[in-house]
């Protein structure tokens, strides 16, 4: 195994060995920049999605606005965020805010559709047994909507891991920084290791986070396993 | 005429869907394939237009092997109706109906004109022509499906559970209209259903298939009910087949005169004519309105005073009507459902003719079964 | 905010000078990059999706294409640039354009392929069965029944691909390509905030316009029977009107990074969200 001198794609291991601390820092930054928007986005989207389900007239505008938000390229959103938030251009908060917006836009509709997909029988039964609206939401509707919401979370998560990297082109460090480094070191000839390492780590992170959502959803919905096994 | 000659269908995994089926569906008649799920009835039907290719055996239509022409040409000459209609969502009703004529090169204008005629034939207003399938109810969609199958005027029609997905009331209506249509068109129809009642209502001949694709019995509906060939058929045609078989015996039962009182007349007049506590009430046109009980009010309490007029709220509306010349089943049902025990018999305009008792119906039944010539199709 | 308006209001920024191209020129270039990538991806993915969907074979190809979506777009772009640009000799933009277009095509392929495939697979089996039973050939079934009914999903794939390509073409300015992304990176480098944010606003506007244009094209090509847009008058007296009006909005594509809510990401998931067939 060669050291950092190698420039072939498979020298990513050597590159990692030589820049271990720096790469791990970038990986950590990438992780929280991807995960935090999903967590905040879910917390914001739940009540809005519930409202869009509860009051039918609210659904079409919610869908339109979220669709509109989703057409805006992320780089544009990263760059405009400082104007809206009063932050510095290099503040990671811009990325978190922009990705949170995307996540909310995506999840609001997912939550509304997920709640709409809860079997009417179950809701009626809960109502008939004297659940209050809040009890019914917490103990019947939300748990039954988990599979749909989890599917939406997975889409948001994987999308965020890819989108975060874009912020490196405007100078906010995370795994995307490895692409920039590789780009800058390639002036005299291709220098692959950091680029390939960045892609590998980014894909691995996306898969890992995706699997954790699947596992988490499975843990809190044991009944799904029963019906799937049959 | 469609003829199955020792037709089998086995799948690579060893499942036998159809086992040595030999069967004839006569021209101009409705032949129903009926059986539980997994009996191969749909597979048999789909082998006729080669949606499924048989493993062995031959199928002929009017003595021509179905494999003698290309599958697409064969199918364009056979009407095909399926359970959920299978309408094309992206085409309007009229374009759906015109599908096959357009495929075979008929001009657009002519195809559309023909399609509108067909829509009217199956009971859809021409104003539906430019609607899309999603704008129609299930029953309406199924009518379009039938019209579409008729568009190329095929001599042979294959119908796979066409009325199974609609609610019972609509199904009843569609069945009756289908019979009327067949009366006009006289197509050779192979009809698949899992519903023995539908088979008996619609079929000129009913073929009962057992699981594994074995043909258990082919017979006219009345014979099927009267003499099931084996325990499977007996079980499949059901417990009340004796009662249902009465639907195939005409009720030329002696009708007794029934004393009546007109609506609005004083109750005292009912007392004059009564033979027991119940008196039949008719309107001015002799149309039966209901039964009046002389000593009890329908809501409980004492009967009406003799001076009161006969009003609708005094009437018991129980009791079905039996048409003169109808079946024994109708007559018996009228007698059994009537509060007085006397079934009301009316003519084709619904006017009262008289009444019949259950005992009379049963006596007639004894006579009819002793003389097989009394059995007729409804 | 004022900087942005000032920059956008300067006519010289729109027409350009002798040395720097104007907004109009950069926007046209941006559109051209997008159109090239979408055309190439469409020519490959659309027929492939149709055939795979029609035959139901080789669905693993769709899964593989979907796997591409987990790739970070910036990484892919820079990797291809570093790989391909040394192979291109010659002058002008080709050295930036060729690798960028390869990356853009790779990004657009999965969305178009997966959605076309899912669109065809999602066609009601009853309609397909009836089409065959009435004597349509395989080709007729595909083009007269499956494709018209698959169009909403095909369009959602195309729109998603278009948005992703527009967004990624913006980032391509980082490696040296033209287009509206130039303003973002040039503004960033020269600390000209107005130019940077102005460029971002223009990119967003371009994305919205393209999406709007495609949605209009979708409206014009998709049968009302499939999209469920019926005129009120003709539906009023239909018994099933109340049942049929509510149709789930067809899934749409997401921004540069990945798929949108409800969008087909795997063949299995793609087959579920079809609208319920009204009957009764």
């Amino acid at each position: 195994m060669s050291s950092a001198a190698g420039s072939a794609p498979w020298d990513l291991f050597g590159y990692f060995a030589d820049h271990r601390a720096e790469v791990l820092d970038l990986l950590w930054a990438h992780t929280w920049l991807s995960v935090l928007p999903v967590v905040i986005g879910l917390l914001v989207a739940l009540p809005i999605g519930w409202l869009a389900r509860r009051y039918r007239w609210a659904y079409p505008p919610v869908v339109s606005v979220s669709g509109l938000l989703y057409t805006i390229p992320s780089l544009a959103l990263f760059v405009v965020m400082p104007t809206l938030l009063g932050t510095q251009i290099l503040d990671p908060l811009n990325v978190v805010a922009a990705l949170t917006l995307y996540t909310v836009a995506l999840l609001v509709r997912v939550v509304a559709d997920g709640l709409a997909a809860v079997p009417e029988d179950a809701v009626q039964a809960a109502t008939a047994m004297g659940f209050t609206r809040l009890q019914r939401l917490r103990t019947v509707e939300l748990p039954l909507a988990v599979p749909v919401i989890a599917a939406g979370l997975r889409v948001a998560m994987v999308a965020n891991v890819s989108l975060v990297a874009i912020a490196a082109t405007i100078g906010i460090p995370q795994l995307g920084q490895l692409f920039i480094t590789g780009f800058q070191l390639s002036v005299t000839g291709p220098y692959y290791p950091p680029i390939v390492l960045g892609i590998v780590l980014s894909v691995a992170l996306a898969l890992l986070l995706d699997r954790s959502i699947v596992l988490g959803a499975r843990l809190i919905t044991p009944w799904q396993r029963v019906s799937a096994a049959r | 005429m469609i003829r199955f000659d020792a037709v089998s269908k086995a799948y690579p995994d060893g499942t036998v869907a159809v086992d040595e089926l030999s069967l004839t569906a006569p021209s101009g008649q409705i032949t129903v394939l009926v059986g539980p799920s997994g009996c191969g009835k749909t597979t048999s039907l789909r082998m006729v237009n080669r949606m499924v290719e048989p493993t062995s055996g031959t199928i002929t239509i009017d003595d021509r092997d179905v494999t003698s022409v290309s599958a697409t040409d064969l199918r364009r000459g056979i009407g095909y109706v399926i359970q959920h209609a299978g309408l094309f969502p992206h085409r309007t009703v009229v374009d759906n109906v015109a599908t096959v004529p357009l495929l075979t090169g008929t001009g657009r204008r002519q195809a559309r004109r023909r399609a509108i005629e067909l829509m009217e034939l199956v009971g859809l207003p021409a104003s539906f022509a430019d609607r899309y399938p999603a704008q129609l109810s299930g029953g309406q969609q199924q009518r379009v499906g039938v019209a579409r199958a008729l568009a190329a005027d095929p001599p042979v029609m294959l119908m796979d559970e066409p009325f199974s997905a609609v609610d019972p009331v609509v199904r009843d209506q569609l069945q009756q209209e289908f019979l009327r249509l067949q009366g006009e068109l006289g197509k050779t129809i192979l009809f698949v259903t899992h519903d023995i009642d539908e088979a008996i209502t619609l079929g000129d001949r009913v073929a009962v298939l057992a699981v594994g694709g074995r043909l258990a019995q082919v017979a006219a509906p009345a014979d099927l009910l009267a003499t099931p060939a084996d325990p499977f058929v007996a079980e499949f045609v059901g417990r009340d087949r004796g009662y249902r078989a009465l639907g195939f015996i005409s009720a030329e039962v002696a009708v007794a005169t029934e004393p009546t009182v007109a609506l609005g007349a004083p109750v005292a007049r009912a007392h004059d004519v009564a033979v027991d506590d119940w008196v039949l009430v008719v309107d001015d046109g002799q149309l039966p309105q209901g039964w009046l009980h002389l000593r009890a009010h329908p809501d409980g309490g004492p009967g009406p005073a003799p001076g009161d007029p006969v009003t609708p709220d005094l009437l018991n509306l129980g009791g079905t009507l039996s048409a003169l010349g109808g079946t024994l089943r109708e007559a018996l049902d009228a007698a059994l459902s009537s509060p007085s025990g006397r079934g009301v018999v009316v003519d084709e305009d619904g006017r009262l003719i008289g009444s019949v008792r259950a005992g009379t119906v049963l006596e007639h039944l004894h006579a009819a079964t002793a003389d097989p010539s009394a059995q007729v199709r409804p | 905010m004022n900087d942005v308006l000032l920059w956008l209001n300067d006519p010289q920024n729109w027409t350009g000078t002798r040395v720097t191209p104007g907004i109009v020129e950069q926007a046209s270039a941006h559109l051209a990059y997008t159109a090239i990538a979408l055309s190439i991806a469409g020519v490959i993915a659309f027929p492939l999706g149709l055939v795979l969907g029609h035959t139901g074979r080789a669905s693993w190809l769709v899964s593989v294409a979907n796997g591409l979506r987990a790739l970070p777009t910036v990484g892919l772009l820079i990797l291809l640039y570093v790989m391909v640009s040394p192979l291109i000799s010659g002058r002008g933009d080709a050295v930036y354009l060729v690798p960028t277009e390869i990356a853009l095509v790779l990004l657009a392929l999965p969305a178009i392929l997966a959605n076309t495939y899912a669109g065809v697979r999602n066609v009601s089996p009853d309609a397909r069965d009836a089409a065959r039973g009435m004597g349509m050939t395989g080709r007729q079934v595909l083009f007269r029944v499956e494709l018209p009914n698959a169009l909403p999903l095909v369009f959602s794939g195309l729109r998603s691909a278009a948005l992703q390509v527009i967004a990624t073409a913006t980032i391509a300015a980082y490696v040296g390509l033209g287009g509206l992304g130039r303003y973002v990176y040039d503004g960033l480098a020269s600390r000209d905030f107005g130019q940077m944010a102005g460029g971002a606003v223009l990119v967003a506007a371009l994305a919205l316009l393209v999406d709007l244009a495609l949605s209009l094209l979708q409206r014009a090509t998709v049968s009302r029977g499939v999209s469920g847009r019926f005129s009120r008058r003709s539906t009023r007296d239909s018994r099933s009107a109340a049942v049929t009006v509510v149709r789930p909005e067809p899934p749409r594509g997401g921004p540069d990074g990945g798929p949108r809510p409800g969008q087909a990401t795997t063949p299995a998931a793609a087959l579920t969200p079809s609208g319920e067939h009204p009957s009764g």
Side-chain angles (χ1 to χ4, degrees):
Chain A
M1 186 63 59
S2 72
S3 74
S7 66
W10 49 85
D11 287 323
L12 73 152
F13 301 105
Y15 186 90
F16 179 66
D18 290 354
H19 303 82
R20 198 189 161 91
E22 183 201 339
V23 170
L24 288 179
D25 277 352
L26 294 177
L27 178 61
W28 170 243
H30 204 107
T31 307
W32 76 261
L33 282 174
S34 312
V35 173
L36 191 59
V38 174
V39 175
I40 305 174
L42 178 64
L43 293 179
V44 176
L46 279 174
I48 305 180
W50 178 79
L51 283 173
R53 164 70 189 144
R54 172 101 175 70
Y55 303 99
R56 302 295 167 87
W57 55 264
Y59 184 80
V62 161
V63 169
S64 311
V65 170
S66 60
L68 211 62
L69 265 176
Y70 241 72
T71 35
I72 301 174
S74 50
L75 181 67
L77 213 49
F78 292 158
V79 164
V80 174
M81 268 304 156
T83 324
L84 305 177
L85 301 177
T87 45
Q88 292 299 306
I89 181 72
L90 289 182
D91 197 331
L93 197 61
N94 298 330
V95 176
V96 174
L99 294 185
T100 302
L101 262 185
Y102 282 138
T103 307
V104 170
L106 186 146
L107 285 183
V108 159
R109 189 167 163 194
V110 167
V111 170
D113 291 350
L115 289 177
V118 171
E120 192 55 30
D121 295 348
V123 180
Q124 298 280 344
T127 316
M129 285 185 282
F131 283 56
T132 66
R133 182 166 292 157
L134 200 64
Q135 284 172 324
R136 198 179 69 195
L137 182 70
R138 198 169 50 81
T139 58
V140 179
E141 292 173 281
L142 273 181
L144 288 178
V146 162
V148 179
I149 297 175
L153 276 179
R154 293 175 61 188
V155 174
M157 196 73 249
V158 174
N160 279 1
V161 173
S162 175
L163 290 174
V164 165
I166 293 171
T169 65
I170 54 170
I172 298 168
Q174 18 64 26
L175 288 177
Q177 185 57 46
L178 292 171
F179 308 140
I180 307 298
T181 307
F183 176 68
Q184 285 161 348
L185 291 177
S186 293
V187 179
T188 50
Y191 185 71
Y192 290 111
I195 303 176
V196 176
L197 180 64
I199 292 179
V200 168
L201 288 179
S202 171
V203 169
L205 180 63
L207 290 180
L208 182 78
L209 293 175
D210 183 64
R211 290 321 294 171
S212 350
I213 296 175
V214 174
L215 283 177
R218 209 174 283 176
L219 272 180
I220 56 174
T221 58
W223 61 90
Q224 288 271 317
R225 268 169 295 167
V226 180
S227 54
R230 217 181 284 148
Chain B
M1 181 178 66
I2 306 167
R3 175 179 292 148
F4 291 79
D5 197 4
V7 175
S8 296
K9 177 68 191 181
Y11 287 99
D13 67 355
T15 324
V16 176
V18 179
D19 188 16
E20 294 280 316
L21 176 67
S22 291
L23 175 74
T24 304
S27 296
Q29 293 196 4
I30 301 173
T31 303
V32 179
L33 298 178
V34 66
S37 58
C39 72
K41 53 191 190 296
T42 293
T43 307
S44 302
L45 179 102
R46 289 165 67 89
M47 286 192 291
V48 175
N49 66 354
R50 293 175 60 192
M51 299 288 276
V52 174
E53 296 285 356
T55 319
S56 64
T58 51
I59 299 174
T60 58
I61 298 177
D62 294 333
D63 296 324
R64 276 184 57 187
D65 192 320
V66 293
T67 57
S68 64
V69 290
S70 76
T72 50
D73 285 342
L74 174 77
R75 291 172 191 160
R76 288 172 194 184
I78 298 177
Y80 185 55
V81 187
I82 57 176
Q83 186 171 0
H84 296 283
L87 300 185
F88 303 145
H90 63 297
R91 290 192 181 169
T92 56
V93 168
V94 67
D95 286 342
N96 260 287
V97 176
T99 302
V100 177
L102 289 175
L103 270 183
T104 53
T106 309
R108 189 159 186 86
R109 179 169 301 207
Q110 197 191 335
R112 283 180 68 98
R113 197 169 49 228
R114 169 89 181 124
I116 302 243
E117 282 169 25
L118 281 164
M119 284 174 54
E120 281 166 5
L121 187 67
V122 299
L124 286 171
S127 63
F128 275 43
D130 292 323
R131 290 196 186 174
Y132 287 96
Q135 292 171 287
L136 306 183
S137 68
Q140 290 165 341
Q141 292 191 14
Q142 205 45 266
R143 286 168 198 263
V144 178
V146 173
R148 184 172 68 172
L150 287 169
D153 199 17
V156 172
M157 304 256 289
L158 304 176
M159 308 182 77
D160 188 1
E161 307 240 6
F163 307 138
S164 299
V166 293
D167 69 71
V169 176
V170 176
R171 187 187 310 147
D172 222 44
Q173 195 183 346
L174 287 174
Q175 286 172 350
Q176 291 313 315
E177 290 184 40
F178 171 62
L179 283 176
R180 168 186 64 78
L181 206 59
Q182 167 66 355
E184 287 173 34
L185 302 174
K187 302 284 183 193
T188 305
I189 294 173
L190 199 58
F191 190 108
V192 161
T193 180
H194 63 269
D195 174 2
I196 184 67
D197 287 320
E198 183 168 71
I200 284 169
T201 310
L202 298 181
D204 294 305
R205 286 157 56 84
V206 177
V208 183
L209 296 174
V211 175
R214 177 181 67 87
L215 178 61
Q217 186 173 9
V218 193
D223 298 339
L224 195 70
L225 293 172
T227 50
D230 62 21
F232 167 76
V233 179
E235 166 81 9
F236 189 74
V237 296
R239 280 175 198 278
D240 52 352
R241 61 180 179 272
Y243 182 63
R244 244 185 277 147
L246 295 178
F248 294 96
I249 305 173
S250 69
E252 281 145 12
V253 189
V255 176
T257 25
E258 179 67 33
T260 59
V261 62
L263 205 57
V267 172
R269 192 161 307 158
H271 282 283
D272 296 342
V273 299
V275 289
D276 57 13
D277 286 343
W278 290 99
V279 176
L280 185 64
V281 179
V282 295
D283 69 359
D284 298 342
Q286 287 292 299
L287 303 179
Q289 300 297 305
W291 292 92
L292 174 71
H293 196 273
L294 296 176
R295 291 190 292 138
H297 192 273
D299 300 332
D308 293 348
V310 178
T311 50
D313 62 296
L314 293 172
L315 302 185
N316 177 315
L317 301 178
T320 56
L321 299 179
S322 163
L324 190 70
T327 66
L328 277 187
R329 182 175 173 169
E330 286 168 21
L332 187 59
D333 191 66
L336 292 177
S337 63
S338 166
S340 67
R342 304 190 293 276
V344 178
V345 181
V346 293
D347 66 12
E348 57 201 23
D349 296 322
R351 280 192 292 268
L352 178 70
I353 291 174
S355 66
V356 63
R357 288 177 180 277
T360 322
V361 178
L362 294 178
E363 278 162 27
H364 181 80
L365 180 65
H366 277 296
T369 44
D371 171 16
S373 69
Q375 295 196 3
V376 292
R377 295 274 297 132
Chain C
M1 191 53 102
N2 260 336
D3 299 343
V4 181
L5 292 177
L6 276 177
W7 184 80
L8 285 173
N9 260 327
D10 186 345
Q12 204 181 12
N13 287 335
W14 288 85
T15 52
T17 63
R18 193 173 305 184
V19 281
T20 53
I23 292 171
V24 177
E25 197 179 322
Q26 294 290 34
S28 314
H30 207 119
L31 269 181
Y33 307 148
T34 305
I36 294 171
L38 284 182
S39 306
I40 297 174
V43 164
I44 298 168
F46 177 62
L48 190 63
L50 284 184
V51 170
L52 295 186
H54 179 70
T55 59
R57 293 208 192 115
S59 58
W60 58 268
L61 255 176
V62 181
S63 313
V64 169
N66 268 321
L68 285 178
R69 296 184 193 216
L71 289 176
T73 52
V74 207
L76 187 65
L77 187 69
I78 289 178
L79 178 69
L80 278 163
Y81 175 74
V82 169
M83 269 169 74
V84 176
S85 60
L87 308 176
I88 297 170
S89 53
R91 301 157 37 78
D93 276 348
V95 73
Y96 307 116
L97 187 60
V98 174
T100 305
E101 287 295 344
I102 296 175
L104 295 183
V105 168
L106 282 179
L107 291 173
L109 277 175
I112 300 178
L113 179 65
N115 279 273
T116 307
Y117 174 85
V120 174
R121 296 308 299 167
N122 264 335
V123 172
S124 128
D126 290 322
R128 195 180 288 135
D129 186 68
R132 283 214 310 139
M134 285 189 295
M136 288 195 188
T137 62
R139 188 177 285 260
Q140 285 169 332
V141 174
L142 177 58
F143 287 105
R144 296 189 187 197
V145 179
E146 289 172 333
L147 177 55
N149 286 293
L151 275 183
L153 269 177
V154 172
F155 266 104
S156 95
L158 182 66
R159 289 166 72 177
S160 151
L163 293 179
Q164 198 166 336
V165 166
I166 290 174
T168 310
T170 315
I171 302 162
Y174 183 81
V175 301
L177 195 69
L180 292 172
R182 278 261 59 82
Y183 298 115
V184 177
Y185 291 111
D186 291 351
L188 186 68
S190 59
R191 303 202 159 265
D192 178 350
F193 182 77
Q195 184 186 13
M196 182 180 74
V201 169
L202 289 174
V203 169
L206 185 75
L208 284 173
L209 278 178
V210 168
D211 194 51
L212 181 70
L214 287 175
S215 77
L216 290 177
L217 185 65
Q218 175 171 4
R219 240 173 203 247
T221 42
V222 175
S223 158
R224 288 189 298 122
V226 177
S227 61
R229 288 182 302 110
F230 306 117
S231 70
R232 260 193 205 154
R233 204 186 56 76
S234 74
T235 320
R236 195 189 304 149
D237 50 341
S238 173
R239 304 201 302 157
S240 60
V243 191
T244 58
V245 171
V246 188
R247 277 207 110 188
E249 174 114 323
R252 294 260 322 264
D256 32 334
R260 285 199 169 188
Q263 191 183 339
T265 45
T266 65
L271 295 178
T272 43
S274 70
E276 206 179 284
H277 230 263
S279 62

